[in-house]
């Protein structure tokens, strides 16, 4: 009888007898959903010049950012409280792997479109006119100019984020901070060079299939670089605050995985879109 009472008291006091983390009810996921719906709906209004198109997207973005900040802050507090047991961390890794896999398929769609346009140029379409790149394209990007420089920058950033990870695992917090600083700066440099490249590009977006496929593929990659840079900046701030230990640092590990994914996608873009896609064509 005494054991039964003690067991009931332990249950009532919140003692758990498993390795999982059961989340309490929270309004943040609902707020995130509302923010995403508001933002995407607002973008539709903006693209069609409908009423509300100039403020609804910003409202949705603000709600999204606030929800993400609240959600991620809760996750960090859970980690500090010891709720991220080895089982929970394993499942977090599974979730990140599946997320990156979905991102891979996202880029497969853009590569598919680019190869379909280039390998099977339509003789009927006035846009393509049976030629790739289309006749409307007078010159393409020189792959061995700024794109090659950006390739070297991303490869170097992959090295520096690996340096930071190695330093963290071996308890070198100074090396962790230096590696993250270098990676963030290289990410910002890549984005700046790509923006300069877009401004001086010899062809616009949307006038033909080459321009559309080029900007959608490389532009979405640039967007992912920005997201990855933000993730690494958050990791840098947390590193300076004393977060992450050699045994528990999934937040940094997930950001590093994402950054390596961005690197690999760029290598495919550089070879397929920049080099092969404009091979033998006049360069800008």
């Amino acid at each position: 009888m005494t054991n039964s009472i003690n067991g009931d008291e332990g249950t009532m006091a919140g003692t758990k007898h498993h390795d999982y983390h059961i989340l309490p009810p929270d309004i943040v996921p609902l707020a995130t959903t509302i923010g995403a719906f508001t933002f995407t709906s607002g973008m539709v209004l903006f693209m069609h010049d409908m009423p509300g198109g100039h403020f609804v997207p910003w409202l949705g973005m603000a709600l999204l950012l606030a929800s993400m900040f609240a959600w991620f802050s809760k996750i960090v507090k859970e980690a500090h409280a010891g709720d991220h047991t080895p089982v929970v961390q394993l499942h977090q890794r599974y979730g990140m792997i599946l997320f990156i896999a979905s991102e891979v398929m996202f880029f497969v769609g853009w590569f598919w479109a680019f190869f379909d346009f280039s390998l099977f140029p339509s003789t009927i379409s006035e846009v393509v006119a049976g030629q790739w790149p289309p006749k409307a394209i007078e010159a393409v990007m020189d792959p061995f100019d700024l794109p090659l420089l950006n390739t070297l920058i991303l490869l170097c950033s992959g090295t520096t984020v690996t340096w930071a990870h190695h330093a963290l695992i071996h308890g070198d917090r100074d090396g962790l901070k230096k590696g993250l600083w270098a990676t963030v700066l290289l990410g910002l440099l890549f984005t700046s060079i790509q923006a300069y490249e877009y401004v001086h590009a010899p062809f616009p977006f949307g006038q033909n299939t080459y321009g559309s496929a080029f900007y959608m593929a490389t532009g979405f990659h640039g967007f992912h670089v920005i997201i990855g840079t933000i993730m690494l900046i958050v990791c840098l701030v947390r590193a300076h605050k004393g977060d992450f230990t050699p045994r528990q640092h999934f937040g940094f590990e997930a950001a590093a995985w994402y950054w390596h994914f961005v690197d690999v996608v760029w290598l495919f873009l550089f070879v397929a879109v920049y080099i092969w896609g404009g091979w033998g064509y006049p360069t800008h």
Side-chain angles (χ1 to χ4, degrees), residues 76-185:
V76 172
K77 292 177 182 177
E78 292 166 3
H80 289 168
D83 293 326
H84 292 174
T85 63
V87 173
V88 173
Q89 292 183 52
L90 177 64
H91 292 170
Q92 289 175 331
R93 288 179 171 85
Y94 286 157
M96 191 64 190
I97 290 171
L98 291 174
F99 170 69
I100 292 178
S102 69
E103 293 285 272
V104 169
M105 298 310 298
F106 175 82
F107 278 100
V108 165
W110 298 119
F111 278 108
W112 189 306
F114 187 84
F115 283 118
D116 182 64
F117 293 148
S118 58
L119 294 174
F120 306 101
S122 172
T123 57
I124 301 176
S125 172
E126 296 180 359
V127 175
V128 181
Q131 176 180 328
W132 187 265
K135 293 181 179 180
I137 300 293
E138 297 180 357
V140 298
M141 301 284 193
D142 184 357
F144 301 106
D145 190 8
L146 293 180
L148 178 60
L149 176 60
N150 262 350
T151 302
L152 297 177
I153 290 173
L154 273 191
L155 290 176
C156 289
S157 71
T159 303
T160 55
V161 78
T162 302
W163 167 32
H165 194 190
H166 183 271
L168 173 57
I169 293 175
H170 290 82
D172 180 9
R173 299 201 63 84
D174 186 59
L176 166 65
K177 297 173 185 176
K178 289 180 179 178
L180 279 174
W181 267 112
T183 310
V184 168
L185 292 176

Side-chain angles (χ1 to χ4, degrees), residues 27-39 55-71:
I27 197 174
V28 173
L30 176 61
T32 305
T33 305
I34 296 174
F37 177 77
T38 304
F39 174 72
F55 72 88
V56 174
W58 293 107
L59 178 63
M61 179 59 71
L63 184 55
L64 263 180
L65 293 176
S67 302
M68 290 168 63
F69 180 82
W71 202 335

Side-chain angles (χ1 to χ4, degrees), residues 37-57:
F37 177 77
T38 304
F39 174 72
T40 52
S41 302
M43 288 302 296
V44 172
L45 297 177
F46 173 77
M47 292 180 204
H48 292 275
D49 293 325
M50 298 176 67
H54 292 286
F55 72 88
V56 174

Side-chain angles (χ1 to χ4, degrees), residues 1 18 21-22 33-34 55 74 78 80 99 101-102 129 142-143 170 185 195 204 207 215-216 219 243 247 254 262 278:
M1 182 68 176
H18 55 78
H21 178 44
I22 308 301
T33 305
I34 296 174
F55 72 88
K74 291 177 184 290
E78 292 166 3
H80 289 168
F99 170 69
S102 69
D142 184 357
H170 290 82
L185 292 176
Q207 288 189 357
Y215 283 109
M216 292 301 288
D243 288 358
R247 294 178 58 86
V262 167

